[in-house]
Amino acid sequence: MAETKEKSLSDEKPKPRVRPIVRLGIFLISHSFHVSVVCCTAGVLALFLLPVLAKNTYISENALMPGSASPMLSNQHVSDGNRLVKDLTNPNSKSSETGIESHKIIAQYMLDLGAEVSFHKFHPQMNQFHPLHFFSSPDSGKIQENYSCSSYGINTVGIIRAPRGDGKEAIVLVTPYNALKSGFGEALSLGIAYSVFSLLTQVTWLAKDIIWLVADSQYGEYAAVAAWLREYQTPKFSSLSAPNAEMCPDVNNLFELKGHSISGSKFSNSFRRAGTMAAALVLKVRDQNEQFEDTISIYAEASNGQMPNLDLINVVNYLAVHRQGLRVNVEKLWSLLNSSWLKSLGEIFESLAKVAKSLYPKWKFGIPATEYVEGTATLASSLYYQALGVPTGPHGAFRDYQVDAITLEISPKFSLDKVWRNDILLRGGRLIEGVIRSVNNLLEKFHQSFFLYLLTSPSKFVSVGVYMIAFALLIAPLPMVAASLYVDANSSSKRSKGDSSTPSAITDTDEHSIAIRSWRWLNSAKLVFIVHLWGAIVSLLPYFISQIPDCSPTTSFMIWVLLSILSLLTLNSVLASPLACAKATQEKEWALVKSVTISSVFIGLGLMSVINFATAEIGALLMVPMCLLAQPLKLDVRAGTLRSFCRMICNLVLGHIAFPPAAFFLLKGMLDGFGNANVGDFWMWVESLWAWNSATYLFIGMVQLPCWVLCISILFHTC
Amino acid sequence: METFINPKSLFHLLLLPCLLLYSSIAYNSSPVEAAMHTNNWAVLVCTSRFWFNYRHMANTLSLYRTVKRLGIPDERIILMLADDMACNTRNKYPAQVFNNENHRLNLYGDNVEVDYRGYEVTVENFLRVLTGRHETAVPRSKRLLSDEGSHILLYMTGHGGDEFLKFQDSEELQSHDLADAVKQMKEKHRFKELLIMVDTCQAATLFNQLQSPGVLAIGSSMKGENSYSHHLDSDVGVSVVDRFTYYTLAFFERLNIYDNASLSSLFSSYNPSLLMSTAYYRKDLYKRRLEEVPVTNFFGSVMETIHTDAAYKALSRRNSGRFEDEMSLDQSVHHIERRMLIKVNDGYEIHDINPEGEEGASKCPWSTFRNKFQKAENVDSLVNYGLVAMIPLLVISTWLVQ
């Protein structure tokens, strides 16, 4: 019965049914305008909702158990640390020009504790633009050509071996220290580290080795840590390093002196290693502080928006707040804190939440307006630093080797009181001890908690699953609009042709014309490809410009702009113009260009969201409206309606904002004020981007700039 | 009874109890006496590894100490520990394990015999221990050599969930597996009564599939409940004991080997507000009333073993009262050997042993026998069997006398 029924049904409906997903697709494409308006609005709104949707952090890894053990750091250890601080701040120790004396003091202190000590001599490597080194791992085989004996740094490294451990893992504690011009803060950070170190030489519960690295920060904190890490992770098996050391008598002297004075001790000339690093903590103490409380700032962003595992931040936050009574800060965009529009937005959300709660008591998603403003400021800063792709401290060097690391900056309420100093040594030391003991409990790498997240406060985060929604909503209209534009362009040209020719002629040339029409998008694709090629060339230009000696940032920037324009014109004339001219007369040519542009932007944003979400999000905020609104100005002028006028204005504004340098200056002006804006600043900024191998640089050069050029070309299209 | 015996010969009268004794020894492992509780075993399992699960090992070791203190010998305890906390590098007190932050009691002292340790603690090995299906090379100390007179305590602790218990963070023991193993044990007469005690989250669900009679199960929490740790030792830096086990131990600390506290008093000692979970016990498979069963039936060792007790009591009396019959120690040893021989071989050799058996029997007080008759009901049937078996002997001996 059923079969016959089905048969009769199929007989009645001979034409194949369109599958629901295809019908949905067709519906979305045909209503692409409304869909894109709704999606973009929802995307922006979702971004502003993120602070409301943020969840409280929690310790995800069972093994960590922070704070379950009572701190063992006693006043004895604190007084040890105090002794070191006194010795280091003693003016006698600064007599030497190279600051070797203070390194000797530190090494001596470490040796007295029974730790293994070695010096690591390094030549600071200037960060240079290597076009082929993007995303590649740091290279040990880099040939250092022009170093001299006058420019080297000395890292002092102390290692405690876990008494019953297997020596396969290690925890690293880093204190940047500049022996030449150290402030009191740096000495204090050394004091804290030393007091913890002296405790750890006595305890029986160590499962991982402890490495204390006193990084010589006279060439920058990052460079010293990165040099040590490079040596640690990628050992050199060449004989090159031996003569290097001999060539510099000063360093040799240092080694020898040590060797003689403490014979039979654990001092060693060779590079010392422990196991793989489980985690690293960079400890700093700030010199001046305006705060009224002892606060501790956490810096976590590494290169390309990589973050350490959230558990590490959680552990520090938990111990600092609940055990040591320190206030924990993460970076905020301070300028956002006072903005009134954000406050009113927060109030709107708050009142909405209240209404929702009165409707259904279980809906509790609202947060107070002040909290919302703070959350947004933190979130914005989190987005900004991740998007920049430049590490916010020496911890970034560890992330390159997949080691979870953060920088802790203690800002004590400043006074020279001895009681106060002991207090900060005790609390800071106990915090470090707690974190080390917690990480010591770890059995595997940090893996339980999130790696992809944005912080809205030290104890609140937005995970990847939530923030991707905002981004996905923002870029969702792109393929739909591209498809609808393509369909429109094809159908309109078909119609225009169909009107002009007789029906008999159509049947004759139909196949041929369809074949040609369906490949028409290739012209636009070629144009888009050429512009992207140009983008790649523009991204490579700074490498050559930076080779020009004695060039101020402003002139470099000017050269860059000139060369870029020149190359664009050349490329256009050589590759694009002969065909473009022939096709330019075609109707709706701009629509096809726009369609292909949007597709390429979609691909670019999608790729970038995988590499660095924050960059993609900010890029999408700028580029998506521009791409979607772009329409030849001529058409708008011709139409003359209010709507087209509005669109024209929007286009012009967006066309200005989305230009990367303009966006940079706007952002800089908003953050720092417009007073001291300089053309050269952009060059400096770009230089820092490529120096840190930031993918943001590639994104700007190869996605955003071509997209802007294409949109501008659409705006000024002659149709 | 006396009516059956020929009053002509006192010799025959003396022979009878002696033969009865032998027959009861010979029947020691026969199904007729399956109901007798003769020995106690304990299987104590800690299923989770890693430093942060310190408390599970401490739980198991505390219970190990308790059952040892209450009389189960080491060779009848199978102790399975999934990890070695005592020698963990993170342990502040090397080679010591504590279950209380006061550190008064080191659970990992000298006399701890761990039968399965580390990665040996697997679901497979656990089931092999229960069902007794070992490879031939497995030593006796690692086997559960229980019989149908055994009371077994099975204690497990670790991380669990709805109808499962995790082993080593990689395997699971499901409630079906446990029920199946217990059923096999029952069919193989490997236990008389079995008490399963589980301290894990949602422990009650682990007993859902049990069917075998004689099984009593108690779990630390109901379905949907967590079992929590009792307290944190801030010196060692971990939680050192779970609540359910802590209060179980607290109950047993008040007891000694001679106490008669019943199982129901143990079960009613659990206070849900202190446990932060509801202790659950399943007794529908268990026939006896919990009020009448002393906890030492499972947590201690059996105090009265009828047959062996009688045999050894006779011997010890002979040794102590040597002045009575002036027998040398060598001879008594000889006697024991002979008896063993009889136990192993069939009744054919009884003829040779008769005179000596008579002597031995003459030392047995009649009252002991009477007590035994009263205590064990099925001795009656034994007597009947024994009498029937004696008829030919009787005939032969009267023929010899005449």
Side-chain angles (χ1 to χ4, degrees):
Chain A
M1 277 294 283
E3 278 175 23
T4 52
K5 226 177 197 176
E6 268 178 29
K7 263 185 189 172
S8 65
L9 273 172
S10 61
D11 287 340
E12 281 165 25
K13 283 187 193 171
K15 60 176 178 181
R17 285 184 63 198
V18 186
R19 288 164 66 193
I21 187 141
V22 177
R23 271 196 288 175
L24 182 70
I26 291 169
F27 174 80
L28 286 178
I29 288 167
S30 58
H31 296 81
S32 63
F33 174 74
H34 302 283
V35 171
S36 54
V37 168
V38 169
C39 278
C40 284
T41 322
V44 176
L45 200 67
L47 186 64
F48 280 104
L49 265 176
L50 287 184
V52 181
L53 298 174
K55 283 191 287 186
N56 283 326
T57 53
Y58 54 93
I59 310 281
S60 185
E61 171 66 85
N62 281 331
L64 283 171
M65 301 185 291
S68 61
S70 52
M72 296 164 72
L73 194 90
S74 65
N75 285 319
Q76 176 59 38
H77 304 115
V78 168
S79 62
D80 284 353
N82 239 331
R83 207 151 41 85
L84 178 66
V85 174
K86 263 181 211 152
D87 277 3
L88 285 177
T89 45
N90 193 355
N92 294 342
S93 68
K94 292 185 180 175
S95 57
S96 165
E97 262 181 37
T98 48
I100 277 177
E101 275 309 310
S102 33
H103 282 288
K104 278 183 186 166
I105 292 172
I106 297 165
Q108 190 60 56
Y109 267 79
M110 285 179 183
L111 280 170
D112 291 347
L113 290 177
E116 292 177 15
V117 181
S118 66
F119 287 116
H120 169 239
K121 179 183 69 68
F122 66 96
H123 296 284
Q125 283 187 349
M126 287 301 123
N127 278 310
Q128 281 180 339
F129 179 57
H130 297 283
L132 299 177
H133 280 186
F134 268 102
F135 309 122
S136 67
S137 59
D139 190 8
S140 69
K142 266 181 204 165
I143 301 147
Q144 305 162 356
E145 296 111 357
N146 46 356
Y147 66 88
S148 64
C149 283
S150 58
S151 70
Y152 64 88
I154 301 168
N155 290 330
T156 314
V157 185
I159 299 176
I160 305 173
R161 305 284 173 188
R164 288 179 292 136
D166 52 8
K168 285 179 183 163
E169 285 182 300
I171 303 169
V172 187
L173 182 61
V174 182
T175 47
Y177 179 66
N178 187 348
L180 292 182
K181 45 172 190 219
S182 74
F184 184 66
E186 276 189 342
L188 204 57
S189 72
L190 281 174
I192 294 175
Y194 178 76
S195 57
V196 175
F197 205 65
S198 65
L199 166 75
L200 294 179
T201 49
Q202 298 160 5
V203 295
T204 52
W205 43 259
L206 276 186
K208 297 173 168 52
D209 298 343
I210 304 293
I211 305 175
W212 179 18
L213 169 68
V214 182
D216 191 350
S217 61
Q218 52 180 320
Y219 302 105
E221 296 163 358
Y222 186 92
V225 177
W228 178 76
L229 269 173
R230 207 179 303 121
E231 182 82 23
Y232 190 96
Q233 303 282 9
T234 51
K236 272 182 265 181
F237 296 107
S238 69
S239 54
L240 269 171
S241 56
N244 284 355
E246 282 167 21
M247 277 152 70
C248 303
D250 204 6
V251 186
N252 238 12
N253 199 15
L254 172 80
F255 287 153
E256 273 172 17
L257 223 164
K258 277 286 150 197
H260 279 299
S261 63
I262 341 146
S263 54
S265 71
K266 289 182 173 176
F267 180 81
S268 123
N269 281 333
S270 58
F271 193 84
R272 287 288 187 132
R273 287 187 180 79
T276 52
M277 299 171 194
L281 293 171
V282 183
L283 180 67
K284 293 202 254 183
V285 177
R286 197 187 283 176
D287 275 331
Q288 296 95 23
N289 186 31
E290 316 75 51
Q291 313 247 351
F292 300 106
E293 278 182 275
D294 294 334
T295 56
I296 179 160
S297 311
I298 297 177
Y299 300 91
E301 289 87 359
S303 56
N304 279 325
Q306 296 182 85
M307 299 291 278
N309 196 290
L310 187 56
D311 266 345
L312 186 58
I313 296 177
N314 291 346
V315 167
V316 172
N317 182 45
Y318 177 84
L319 289 172
V321 173
H322 297 289
R323 290 292 183 270
Q324 304 308 326
L326 294 160
R327 226 169 67 101
V328 177
N329 264 341
V330 285
E331 278 284 277
K332 276 183 205 136
L333 284 188
W334 296 100
S335 54
L336 279 180
L337 280 180
N338 302 322
S339 65
S340 52
W341 63 273
L342 211 56
K343 206 169 218 170
S344 48
L345 194 64
E347 274 157 10
I348 291 170
F349 283 137
E350 193 182 351
S351 51
L352 271 180
K354 264 180 196 162
V355 171
K357 198 178 177 183
S358 66
L359 287 175
Y360 188 62
K362 275 193 179 173
W363 285 344
K364 281 184 233 166
F365 55 81
I367 55 170
T370 48
E371 204 176 304
Y372 175 79
V373 174
E374 285 210 4
T376 315
T378 316
L379 182 79
S381 131
S382 196
L383 261 179
Y384 172 72
Y385 284 109
Q386 285 190 26
L388 213 55
V390 176
T392 48
H395 57 269
F398 286 95
R399 194 63 229 169
D400 292 340
Y401 299 93
Q402 306 307 314
V403 178
D404 294 291
I406 53 172
T407 297
L408 304 176
E409 192 174 59
I410 300 174
S411 331
K413 49 178 194 291
F414 203 73
S415 78
L416 281 168
D417 192 1
K418 191 162 184 288
V419 179
W420 159 83
R421 194 205 279 179
N422 280 348
D423 179 58
I424 203 70
L425 273 172
L426 189 69
R427 283 159 78 189
R430 284 187 169 174
L431 172 66
I432 302 291
E433 183 211 336
V435 176
I436 285 178
R437 185 149 194 190
S438 182
V439 174
N440 183 57
N441 284 339
L442 207 60
L443 301 152
E444 299 152 286
K445 264 174 79 92
F446 277 106
H447 68 281
Q448 284 280 359
S449 197
F450 293 92
F451 284 99
L452 302 168
Y453 56 90
L454 298 164
L455 288 172
T456 64
S457 87
S459 59
K460 280 193 157 190
F461 75 106
V462 185
S463 78
V464 57
V466 176
Y467 68 58
M468 272 313 247
I469 295 171
F471 179 72
L473 281 172
L474 211 54
I475 64 163
L478 292 180
M480 287 174 227
V481 172
S484 96
L485 277 172
Y486 176 76
V487 171
D488 276 0
N490 268 356
S491 61
S492 69
S493 63
K494 194 192 275 177
R495 208 185 311 120
S496 62
K497 279 191 179 170
D499 290 343
S500 60
S501 56
T502 56
S504 58
I506 292 175
T507 49
D508 194 25
T509 56
D510 204 19
E511 298 242 328
H512 183 63
S513 65
I514 283 177
I516 289 178
R517 267 205 309 275
S518 60
W519 288 106
R520 217 154 53 94
W521 63 273
L522 271 183
N523 283 318
S524 320
K526 201 186 70 180
L527 178 68
V528 172
F529 172 73
I530 287 165
V531 175
H532 276 90
L533 192 70
W534 170 75
I537 292 170
V538 170
S539 325
L540 283 179
L541 280 176
Y543 175 61
F544 302 104
I545 298 170
S546 64
Q547 307 288 327
I548 304 168
D550 304 329
C551 209
S552 76
T554 315
T555 44
S556 298
F557 181 61
M558 288 305 173
I559 294 169
W560 192 22
V561 171
L562 279 176
L563 281 176
S564 303
I565 293 169
L566 209 66
S567 58
L568 180 64
L569 292 177
T570 322
L571 267 178
N572 200 38
S573 61
V574 170
L575 290 168
S577 58
L579 291 168
C581 287
K583 299 287 173 189
T585 50
Q586 274 185 350
E587 250 184 273
K588 287 279 191 177
E589 168 74 17
W590 66 269
L592 274 179
V593 173
K594 185 176 167 181
S595 165
V596 180
T597 307
I598 287 176
S599 312
S600 72
V601 165
F602 179 69
I603 293 167
L605 284 175
L607 282 177
M608 195 60 205
S609 72
V610 179
I611 298 165
N612 188 347
F613 165 79
T615 313
E617 174 73 47
I618 293 176
L621 280 177
L622 286 172
M623 284 156 64
V624 169
M626 182 178 69
C627 288
L628 291 181
L629 284 172
Q631 192 167 347
L633 292 173
K634 247 185 189 174
L635 284 182
D636 282 337
V637 171
R638 230 182 274 161
T641 59
L642 183 67
R643 191 180 145 190
S644 60
F645 182 71
C646 286
R647 183 160 55 199
M648 205 166 72
I649 298 293
C650 283
N651 270 329
L652 285 175
V653 170
L654 281 171
H656 280 103
I657 290 176
F659 182 48
F664 167 75
F665 285 118
L666 205 67
L667 204 65
K668 198 174 152 58
M670 263 163 49
L671 294 179
D672 308 338
F674 289 94
N676 47 5
N678 185 8
V679 185
D681 286 351
F682 184 70
W683 175 261
M684 308 246 277
W685 183 70
V686 167
E687 212 169 30
S688 78
L689 282 191
W690 80 62
W692 294 103
N693 281 0
S694 170
T696 308
Y697 175 71
L698 284 188
F699 174 78
I700 289 173
M702 296 176 72
V703 180
Q704 197 179 358
L705 193 64
C707 166
W708 178 77
V709 169
L710 286 166
C711 285
I712 293 296
S713 77
I714 291 167
L715 286 186
F716 294 104
H717 195 272
T718 53
C719 40
Chain B
M1 210 180 129
E2 280 88 323
T3 54
F4 276 101
I5 293 162
N6 190 358
K8 281 196 282 181
S9 171
L10 185 69
F11 176 68
H12 294 164
L13 188 68
L14 290 172
L15 185 74
L16 178 63
C18 192
L19 280 167
L20 272 178
L21 180 72
Y22 289 137
S23 60
S24 65
I25 290 168
Y27 272 101
N28 199 10
S29 57
S30 71
V32 183
E33 280 199 61
M36 301 287 263
H37 171 203
T38 54
N39 57 66
N40 269 83
W41 286 81
V43 181
L44 312 174
V45 193
C46 155
T47 66
S48 50
R49 63 185 303 108
F50 304 141
W51 172 241
F52 60 93
N53 291 321
Y54 183 97
R55 63 181 187 279
H56 293 146
M57 186 176 162
N59 286 346
T60 316
L61 282 174
S62 326
L63 218 78
Y64 169 78
R65 177 184 162 276
T66 301
V67 294
K68 245 173 104 172
R69 185 174 65 83
L70 292 178
I72 304 186
D74 240 338
E75 67 262 20
R76 295 200 170 172
I77 302 175
I78 308 286
L79 182 58
M80 304 174 97
L81 298 177
D83 203 351
D84 192 359
M85 299 306 164
C87 296
N88 194 305
T89 49
R90 293 163 185 87
N91 194 351
K92 192 180 169 185
Y93 300 93
Q96 297 181 69
V97 175
F98 301 106
N99 69 351
N100 199 311
E101 61 180 341
N102 61 21
H103 293 184
R104 274 200 214 123
L105 177 67
N106 174 21
L107 298 168
Y108 211 67
D110 292 332
N111 294 317
V112 178
E113 286 180 17
V114 186
D115 299 294
Y116 289 82
R117 67 166 75 240
Y119 289 111
E120 283 180 345
V121 182
T122 58
V123 173
E124 184 190 332
N125 277 347
F126 172 70
L127 293 179
R128 280 184 187 282
V129 165
L130 288 191
T131 55
R133 297 159 79 170
H134 291 282
E135 283 179 28
T136 44
V138 174
R140 282 174 67 86
S141 66
K142 287 183 145 193
R143 295 176 187 233
L144 180 69
L145 298 168
S146 57
D147 52 41
E148 72 272 74
S150 303
H151 280 196
I152 301 179
L153 166 71
L154 171 57
Y155 174 84
M156 294 190 280
T157 180
H159 289 286
D162 194 357
E163 303 215 359
F164 72 87
L165 178 66
K166 278 211 297 186
F167 269 67
Q168 297 274 6
D169 206 29
S170 63
E171 293 179 296
E172 281 169 13
L173 173 80
Q174 298 210 343
S175 57
H176 290 274
D177 304 334
L178 183 66
D180 182 54
V182 171
K183 201 171 180 181
Q184 285 187 48
M185 288 169 79
K186 189 74 204 173
E187 281 171 11
K188 291 170 134 183
H189 303 294
R190 284 174 65 77
F191 69 87
K192 178 168 177 285
E193 288 176 9
L194 172 65
L195 173 62
I196 306 178
M197 186 180 238
V198 180
D199 189 350
T200 173
C201 296
Q202 312 195 40
T205 58
L206 207 60
F207 313 138
N208 283 353
Q209 310 300 333
L210 292 175
Q211 297 167 344
S212 315
V215 179
L216 184 63
I218 176 157
S220 60
S221 51
M222 304 283 280
K223 185 178 177 175
E225 284 182 341
N226 286 336
S227 296
Y228 293 98
S229 63
H230 184 261
H231 68 268
L232 179 97
D233 184 341
S234 59
D235 205 16
V236 181
V238 283
S239 303
V240 284
V241 69
D242 276 319
R243 282 175 180 268
F244 177 76
T245 307
Y246 180 85
Y247 290 107
T248 307
L249 295 173
F251 177 84
F252 281 110
E253 280 306 302
R254 294 196 302 270
L255 300 185
N256 63 31
I257 199 163
Y258 303 108
D259 269 321
N260 265 333
S262 68
L263 276 177
S264 69
S265 69
L266 167 66
F267 291 176
S268 58
S269 75
Y270 298 120
N271 182 349
S273 62
L274 289 176
L275 288 185
M276 292 167 79
S277 62
T278 324
Y280 164 89
Y281 50 97
R282 183 174 169 189
K283 56 176 182 181
D284 55 335
L285 300 169
Y286 194 70
K287 293 291 175 294
R288 289 202 281 166
R289 292 185 63 221
L290 296 183
E291 290 78 14
E292 292 163 1
V293 184
V295 284
T296 44
N297 262 8
F298 290 103
F299 291 88
S301 202
V302 60
M303 295 297 291
E304 264 181 309
T305 46
I306 298 164
H307 315 293
T308 47
D309 187 36
Y312 281 98
K313 197 179 262 178
L315 283 174
S316 66
R317 269 176 175 270
R318 176 181 296 168
N319 290 347
S320 59
R322 199 177 297 158
F323 58 92
E324 279 181 38
D325 58 355
E326 283 124 35
M327 268 184 104
S328 70
L329 194 70
D330 297 352
Q331 274 171 315
S332 73
V333 171
H334 177 68
H335 277 246
I336 293 167
E337 282 168 3
R338 294 297 288 270
R339 275 158 203 262
M340 295 302 284
L341 207 66
I342 291 157
K343 217 173 147 185
V344 174
N345 297 338
D346 54 355
Y348 183 73
E349 285 180 337
I350 289 175
H351 292 293
D352 309 338
I353 220 93
N354 268 347
E356 289 157 19
E358 186 192 329
E359 279 175 30
S362 66
K363 302 296 168 201
C364 287
W366 188 246
S367 61
T368 325
F369 257 92
R370 287 190 63 134
N371 284 344
K372 277 183 204 165
F373 275 100
Q374 280 156 9
K375 260 186 198 167
E377 296 119 13
N378 56 348
V379 170
D380 282 341
S381 60
L382 249 180
V383 169
N384 294 338
Y385 282 126
L387 285 176
V388 170
M390 267 169 29
I391 288 168
L393 288 174
L394 211 66
V395 170
I396 292 166
S397 54
T398 35
W399 178 69
L400 279 172
V401 169
Q402 281 167 0

